[in-house]
C-alpha cells in the first residue's frame, strides 16, 4: 500500500537538515553560484593539463555549429587527417554538407520503407510511434556515414560548402519532418487500402522527389563531377579535372571503410561481451551498410585504442558528453563536480545502472588523438572536438581515464589490430547481429550534439 508524506516526516527531515554540519555553508554556495560552480573541483584543471606521452598532430578543429552532426564531423576528421599530411593541405576539410545532404535524403527513404513495413500496426504501437516521433534528424552512426560514402563518395568542403540550413539545422529538420509525417500517413493509408506494391512505391518516389527539392533548395545540389584545384603548403599548384565524388574518395582519402568496425562497451546484462549487436530502425541507406557493434570490456577497448594511436591512426568514439563536463575549459572528468560533498549524498551508479535507468546514453562523437600513459596505464586522453577553436585548448579537450570508464561507450577500431579471438567473434556475429530495440541507449536517436 502506498504511503503519503506527512508533516511528522517533513519535521524529521527539517531537524536533520538544521543539524547537518555543512548545511549553511553549502546552501549559501549553491544558491549564490549554482550547483555546478559551487561543487567544482579545481584540482581537475591541474590534473588534466594538456600534456600527453602519445599524441597525433591533427591541426585545426572543425566546427559543426548549431547542428547535431558531430558523428559526421568526427568521422570526416579521421579521414582528412591522413589526407592533410599526404597532400600537404593544412586545415583542409571534407564537405560535411555533402554527406549531410545524402544522409537526409537516404534517411527519408529509410523512414518511408519502415512506415510501409509497419503499416499493419496501429499508430499507437510503440515502434510506429517511435518512427513518427522523429522521421529523420541530424544524428547518426559511423556505419551510416560509411554507407553514404560507399554509395555517393565525398567532396572537398570548397566544392560543396556549408549553408545556413546546414550550420543551423533546426528549421530544415522541422520542415522535412513535417513533410515526412504527412507522407508517411498517406503511405500507411495506401497500404491498408490494398494498393499494390508497385503503386505504393510509385507514390513513394513522388514523395522522394519533394524531399530532394527541399534539400536542394536548402543545402544546394550535390556535384556529380568537379575540379579539385588547390595549392599545397609549399605553394605548388595542383588541379584534378572532372573527378567524381567516389573517385575523389578512392584517390585522396583511400580509407578502407570495410576494415573499420564499431566496438562498444555496454556492461548491461542484456549485452554479453564479444557478441555483435545492431539496433532496430537505426540506419539510412536501404541495401547499404548495417549498423553493427562488437561489445568489449572497457580495458579491451582501451588497449585497442592505444594500439591504434601508436600505429599513427586517430580513433572516432562515442560518449555521453553532457555528463561531468566543462565545455569552456574543455575538461571531461568524473571528479569535476563534487556534488556528493556539496549535498552529502551518494550519487554513485555503475555504468550498467546508468544505461539501464536512462541516466546515461551516447549523445556525442569526437576523436581521440592522444593519450598520456604513466607506469603502463592511461591517465588522460587528448580529444579533438568539432565545436570550433573557442572551447577548451583551441578546440581540443582533455578526458580523464575515470571519465572514459564511466561515459565512453563506442570506438571505431581498425580490424587489422584486433586479436584473433575478437576478429573471430566479430566475423561470427556480423551477418546475424543481435537486434536491440530502437530506443536502446546504444542506438536510439544516435548522436545529436
Amino acid at each position: 500500500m502506498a504511503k503519503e508524506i506527512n508533516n511528522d516526516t517533513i519535521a524529521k527531515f527539517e531537524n536533520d537538515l538544521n543539524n547537518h554540519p555543512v548545511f549553511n555553508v553549502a546552501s549559501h554556495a549553491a544558491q549564490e553560484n549554482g550547483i555546478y560552480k559551487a561543487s567544482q573541483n579545481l584540482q581537475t584543471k591541474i590534473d588534466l593539463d594538456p600534456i600527453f606521452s602519445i599524441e597525433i598532430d591533427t591541426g585545426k578543429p572543425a566546427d559543426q555549429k548549431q547542428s547535431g552532426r558531430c558523428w559526421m564531423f568526427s568521422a570526416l576528421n579521421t579521414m582528412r587527417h591522413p589526407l592533410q599530411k599526404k597532400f600537404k593541405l593544412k586545415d583542409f576539410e571534407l564537405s560535411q554538407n555533402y554527406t549531410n545532404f545524402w544522409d537526409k535524403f537516404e534517411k527519408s527513404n529509410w523512414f518511408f520503407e519502415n512506415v510501409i513495413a509497419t503499416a499493419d500496426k496501429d499508430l499507437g504501437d510503440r515502434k510506429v510511434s517511435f518512427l513518427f516521433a522523429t522521421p529523420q534528424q541530424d544524428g547518426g552512426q559511423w556505419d551510416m556515414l560509411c554507407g553514404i560514402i560507399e554509395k555517393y563518395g565525398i567532396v572537398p568542403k570548397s566544392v560543396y560548402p556549408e549553408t545556413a540550413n546546414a550550420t543551423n539545422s533546426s528549421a530544415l529538420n522541422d520542415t522535412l519532418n513535417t513533410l515526412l509525417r504527412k507522407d508517411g500517413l498517406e503511405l500507411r493509408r495506401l497500404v491498408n487500402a490494398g494498393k499494390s506494391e508497385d503503386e505504393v512505391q510509385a507514390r513513394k518516389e513522388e514523395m522522394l522527389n519533394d524531399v530532394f527539392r527541399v534539400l536542394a533548395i536548402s543545402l544546394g545540389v550535390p556535384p556529380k563531377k568537379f575540379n579539385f584545384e588547390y595549392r599545397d603548403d609549399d605553394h605548388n599548384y595542383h588541379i584534378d579535372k572532372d573527378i567524381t565524388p567516389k573517385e575523389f574518395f578512392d584517390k585522396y582519402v583511400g580509407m578502407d571503410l570495410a576494415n573499420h568496425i564499431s566496438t562498444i562497451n555496454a556492461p548491461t546484462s542484456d549485452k554479453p561481451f564479444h557478441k555483435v549487436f545492431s539496433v532496430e530502425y537505426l540506419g539510412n541507406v536501404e541495401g547499404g551498410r548495417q549498423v553493427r557493434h562488437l561489445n568489449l570490456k572497457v580495458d579491451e577497448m582501451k588497449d585497442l585504442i592505444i594500439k591504434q594511436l601508436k600505429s599513427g591512426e586517430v580513433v572516432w568514439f562515442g560518449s555521453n558528453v553532457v555528463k561531468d563536463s566543462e565545455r569552456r575549459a574543455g575538461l571531461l572528468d568524473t571528479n569535476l563536480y563534487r556534488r556528493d560533498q556539496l549535498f552529502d549524498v551518494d550519487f554513485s551508479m555503475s555504468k550498467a545502472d546508468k544505461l539501464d535507468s536512462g541516466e546515461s546514453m551516447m549523445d556525442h562523437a569526437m576523436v581521440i588523438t592522444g593519450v598520456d600513459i604513466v607506469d603502463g596505464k592511461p591517465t588522460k586522453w587528448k580529444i579533438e572536438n568539432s565545436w570550433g577553436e573557442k572551447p577548451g585548448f583551441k578546440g581540443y579537450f582533455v578526458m580523464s581515464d575515470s571519465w572514459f570508464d564511466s561515459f565512453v561507450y563506442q570506438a571505431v577500431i581498425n580490424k587489422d589490430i584486433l586479436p584473433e579471438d575478437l576478429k573471430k567473434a566479430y566475423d561470427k556475429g556480423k551477418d546475424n547481429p543481435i537486434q536491440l530495440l530502437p530506443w536502446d541507449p546504444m542506438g536510439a536517436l544516435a548522436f545529436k550534439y
Side-chain angles (χ1 to χ4, degrees), residues 267-271 349-360 440-441:
T268 50
S269 60
D270 63 329
K271 299 181 184 70
M349 297 175 69
S350 69
K351 195 171 190 176
D353 285 347
K354 289 174 184 175
L355 290 170
D356 284 338
S357 66
E359 168 64 17
S360 183
D440 190 273

Side-chain angles (χ1 to χ4, degrees), residues 54-56 304-315 368-371 381-382 417:
I54 299 172
E55 188 172 2
I56 298 173
L304 289 171
I305 291 174
I306 293 170
K307 189 175 180 180
Q308 189 157 309
L309 290 173
K310 286 181 176 179
S311 76
E313 185 176 357
V314 298
V315 179
I368 297 176
T369 66
V371 61
W381 304 78
K382 183 180 180 182
I417 69 171

Side-chain angles (χ1 to χ4, degrees), residues 206-438:
E206 293 174 349
M207 294 171 175
L208 284 173
N209 185 51
D210 291 342
V211 170
F212 191 91
R213 187 184 310 115
V214 169
L215 291 172
I217 290 172
S218 303
L219 302 175
V221 179
K224 295 180 179 179
K225 286 189 174 183
F226 60 94
N227 295 335
F228 181 38
E229 188 175 21
Y230 66 95
R231 284 191 181 275
D232 62 27
D233 296 338
D234 297 328
H235 304 291
N236 295 316
Y237 174 79
H238 304 266
I239 186 169
D240 201 342
K241 296 182 178 179
D242 294 325
I243 188 171
T244 69
K246 292 188 76 172
E247 289 170 342
F248 177 83
F249 177 81
D250 291 340
K251 182 174 181 178
Y252 291 96
V253 180
M255 187 177 192
D256 186 356
L257 298 179
N259 216 42
H260 287 74
I261 68 169
S262 168
T263 67
I264 58 172
N265 172 239
T268 50
S269 60
D270 63 329
K271 299 181 184 70
F273 290 121
H274 303 168
K275 298 293 184 180
V276 180
F277 298 87
S278 189
V279 183
E280 193 175 6
Y281 300 146
L282 180 60
N284 53 0
V285 180
E286 283 288 342
R289 181 162 168 167
Q290 184 181 14
V291 172
R292 300 184 185 93
H293 304 308
L294 174 64
N295 196 19
L296 301 178
K297 298 175 183 178
V298 69
D299 287 338
E300 291 176 325
M301 179 182 282
K302 288 180 186 179
D303 289 344
L304 289 171
I305 291 174
I306 293 170
K307 189 175 180 180
Q308 189 157 309
L309 290 173
K310 286 181 176 179
S311 76
E313 185 176 357
V314 298
V315 179
W316 183 101
F317 78 105
S319 64
N320 191 185
V321 76
V322 299
K323 296 292 186 180
D324 292 336
S325 63
E326 217 301 315
R327 177 172 181 149
R328 181 178 294 181
L331 302 175
L332 304 166
D333 186 19
T334 53
N335 290 316
L336 184 60
Y337 303 110
R338 300 310 308 265
R339 291 182 296 176
D340 54 345
Q341 294 180 2
L342 178 67
F343 295 109
D344 193 21
V345 171
D346 181 9
F347 292 96
S348 61
M349 297 175 69
S350 69
K351 195 171 190 176
D353 285 347
K354 289 174 184 175
L355 290 170
D356 284 338
S357 66
E359 168 64 17
S360 183
M361 65 182 296
M362 292 193 291
D363 62 14
H364 190 54
M366 298 178 284
V367 180
I368 297 176
T369 66
V371 61
D372 195 33
I373 298 178
V374 178
D375 296 328
K377 298 290 184 181
T379 60
K380 58 190 175 185
W381 304 78
K382 183 180 180 182
I383 307 302
E384 179 186 16
N385 209 337
S386 55
W387 293 343
E389 292 187 279
K390 289 185 179 180
F393 305 91
K394 293 186 177 180
Y396 286 83
F397 281 42
V398 182
M399 172 177 72
S400 72
D401 194 58
S402 65
W403 198 91
F404 188 119
D405 289 338
S406 295
F407 298 116
V408 170
Y409 295 110
Q410 184 179 12
V412 169
I413 300 298
N414 191 322
K415 196 177 175 184
D416 288 341
I417 69 171
L418 288 178
E420 284 303 315
D421 61 329
L422 294 183
K423 283 183 183 179
K424 289 179 181 178
Y426 180 77
D427 290 338
K428 182 179 179 181
K430 68 178 182 179
D431 294 329
N432 190 28
I434 300 168
Q435 288 292 314
L436 301 174
L437 291 169

Side-chain angles (χ1 to χ4, degrees), residues 120-140:
D120 61 328
K121 299 181 184 294
D122 189 83
L123 275 171
D125 179 88
R126 187 175 181 186
K127 291 183 179 180
V128 175
S129 297
F130 176 86
L131 289 171
F132 276 89
T134 313
Q136 67 76 46
Q137 31 79 33
D138 286 352

Side-chain angles (χ1 to χ4, degrees), residues 78-93:
T78 69
M79 298 175 193
R80 74 180 172 117
H81 295 152
L83 187 158
Q84 289 173 312
K85 184 177 181 180
K86 181 177 180 180
F87 296 97
K88 298 182 179 180
L89 289 171
K90 183 181 179 182
D91 297 332
F92 174 85
E93 288 188 47

